[in-house]
Amino acid sequence: MENSAICKMLNIRYPIFQGGMAWISDAELAAAVSNAGGLGVIAAGNAPPEWLEEEIYKIRKLTDKPFGVNIMLMSPFKDAVAEAAAFLEVPVIISGAGSPGKYMDMWKSKGAKVFPVVPTVTMAIRLERIGADGLICEGTEAGGHIGELTTMSLVPQVVDAVRLPVIAAGGIADARGFAAALMLGASGVQIGTRFLTAYECNVHPSYKKAILDAKDTDAVVSGRSTGHPVRCIKNRLTSKLKKMEKTGASIDEIEKEGAGKLRLAAIDGDIKSGSVMAGQIAGLVKSEASCEEIITELVHNTHTLIKSYQTKELFNV
Ligand code: TUI
């Protein structure tokens, strides 16, 4: 695993990307993941460029390892943060929630490796043509803003359609998910929800508790009717949004109700009225641990799992 093409391309030890979670993935979390051999990622989210610049200065003090920045393309600051990431020569740039086409040349001219999140095969092919270095295929199991296709369906179809390395995301939190992603043809994984309960994750303790308490059916989707579906842990806010969607509230009214609610949950710890974004795999996350423990266990158990399958009698062929 350590000598895979993707690890060589990015100069990382393990093909494990930490999910860029808006308001949550800061320099401290990203540095802890990078120091443990994965790719730590700072999420620009809706933050202004000054915030991102500060986090980039911080991470360079905390680690000498490569790291990534996630640029969320629905942000009002997207142009400015895209430029800041290029100017500060961020080694890996991940884009989400839109097409990064217009930034591609700028990022690549500064030596960045670019990994857009793609929700479909069509977009994967388009981004390969314009110079992406790899793709993140994020299934609808993921937390936050999501596409339609599941990880299980999306990953192998993109793997067959492009020559680029593919990182699987959505629904992966342990070695079984990691091994399954490799079986689908992925070169690595992106993991978000599992890192929410990392010791180095600065999300509010109430948010961590909501993840630890979540069961399989708790991560629900709101906003399908607005065209911006978002997966969060069920609470007063998701019930309200569901009711608004049922009773035919306008897109504007629904979007207004959701605005600013991630900050309310992640920073202020209001997990009843805030947006507790998390993936369907939250029900599997039952402990807090350091990023080093999370990554070491993932790698060790994935290795053991795959080896054990080589000697298992599965069925008569
Ligand atoms: O971006 C994410 N997940 C996110 S962003 C986010 S911040 C937020 N805050 C409040 C409300 C809504 C969002 C929370 N979670 N994941 C990557 C991702 N990208 N998922 C889906 C996509 C995507 C969707 C459409 C990528 C490209 C795309 O292209 C459409 C087009 O053709 O432009």
Side-chain angles (χ1 to χ4, degrees):
M1 195 157 15
E2 291 178 33
N3 291 317
S4 68
I6 188 107
C7 290
K8 279 191 190 134
M9 181 204 286
L10 303 179
N11 195 24
I12 55 178
R13 190 156 179 209
Y14 309 121
I16 300 172
F17 289 26
Q18 165 241 316
M21 300 172 282
W23 286 109
I24 297 170
S25 301
D26 59 8
E28 195 176 336
L29 177 62
V33 170
S34 288
N35 281 330
L39 185 78
V41 174
I42 297 167
N46 281 317
E50 296 77 24
W51 179 85
L52 180 62
E53 286 160 12
E54 192 61 34
E55 294 308 300
I56 295 170
Y57 291 130
K58 268 192 221 161
I59 197 170
R60 286 191 159 129
K61 289 202 186 104
L62 296 169
T63 185
D64 57 1
K65 304 274 192 304
F67 63 93
V69 164
N70 181 301
I71 313 274
M72 207 279 284
L73 296 169
M74 295 192 303
S75 165
F77 298 108
K78 59 178 192 279
D79 289 342
V81 291
E83 276 165 28
F87 182 72
L88 293 175
E89 298 185 10
V90 165
V92 185
I93 299 181
I94 293 149
S95 68
S99 175
K102 69 168 175 171
Y103 308 116
M104 204 63 122
D105 291 346
M106 171 177 70
W107 289 339
K108 305 237 3 164
S109 74
K110 292 290 190 175
K113 299 290 181 201
V114 182
F115 280 67
V117 172
V118 294
T120 60
V121 168
T122 305
M123 196 157 169
I125 293 170
R126 204 191 314 149
L127 286 163
E128 177 175 53
R129 273 199 205 119
I130 62 170
D133 296 285
L135 300 169
I136 300 180
C137 289
E138 194 180 279
T140 198
E141 299 94 319
H145 177 59
I146 49 169
E148 279 284 340
L149 295 171
T150 60
T151 305
M152 182 81 108
S153 305
L154 179 61
V155 171
Q157 293 189 71
V158 172
V159 165
D160 282 355
V162 300
R163 298 173 59 110
L164 298 174
V166 165
I167 301 296
I172 303 165
D174 71 1
R176 292 167 296 182
F178 193 169
L182 298 176
M183 294 299 112
L184 294 174
S187 302
V189 290
Q190 175 186 273
I191 292 181
T193 301
R194 179 67 188 99
F195 285 114
L196 284 169
T197 65
Y199 295 137
E200 298 92 340
C201 178
N202 290 316
V203 75
H204 195 283
S206 301
Y207 200 121
K208 291 192 179 186
K209 188 171 182 310
I211 302 302
L212 293 169
D213 290 346
K215 63 174 195 304
D216 56 352
T217 52
D218 284 344
V220 298
V221 180
S222 327
R224 281 216 167 90
S225 64
T226 70
H228 291 134
V230 172
R231 187 180 299 286
C232 301
I233 301 294
K234 223 188 255 177
N235 63 5
R236 214 183 276 158
L237 175 66
T238 63
S239 304
K240 184 162 186 192
L241 290 168
K242 196 166 148 191
K243 204 178 277 168
M244 287 174 79
E245 290 192 80
K246 253 195 193 149
T247 54
S250 70
I251 291 183
D252 243 31
E253 286 171 309
I254 296 169
E255 300 246 294
K256 235 182 223 146
E257 188 59 42
K261 296 293 164 68
L262 177 56
R263 181 188 199 284
L264 186 64
I267 308 293
D268 303 339
D270 185 345
I271 57 164
K272 291 207 171 97
S273 306
S275 190
V276 186
M277 294 185 185
Q280 287 184 336
I281 206 71
L284 201 73
V285 177
K286 289 286 164 230
S287 64
E288 297 185 61
S290 67
C291 291
E292 164 87 39
E293 287 164 345
I294 292 170
I295 288 177
T296 307
E297 186 180 292
L298 263 169
V299 170
H300 177 264
N301 291 350
T302 303
H303 192 248
T304 307
L305 191 53
I306 291 174
K307 263 180 85 175
S308 79
Y309 266 75
Q310 289 170 346
T311 54
K312 219 178 211 171
E313 285 292 335
L314 293 175
F315 31 67
N316 288 322
V317 283

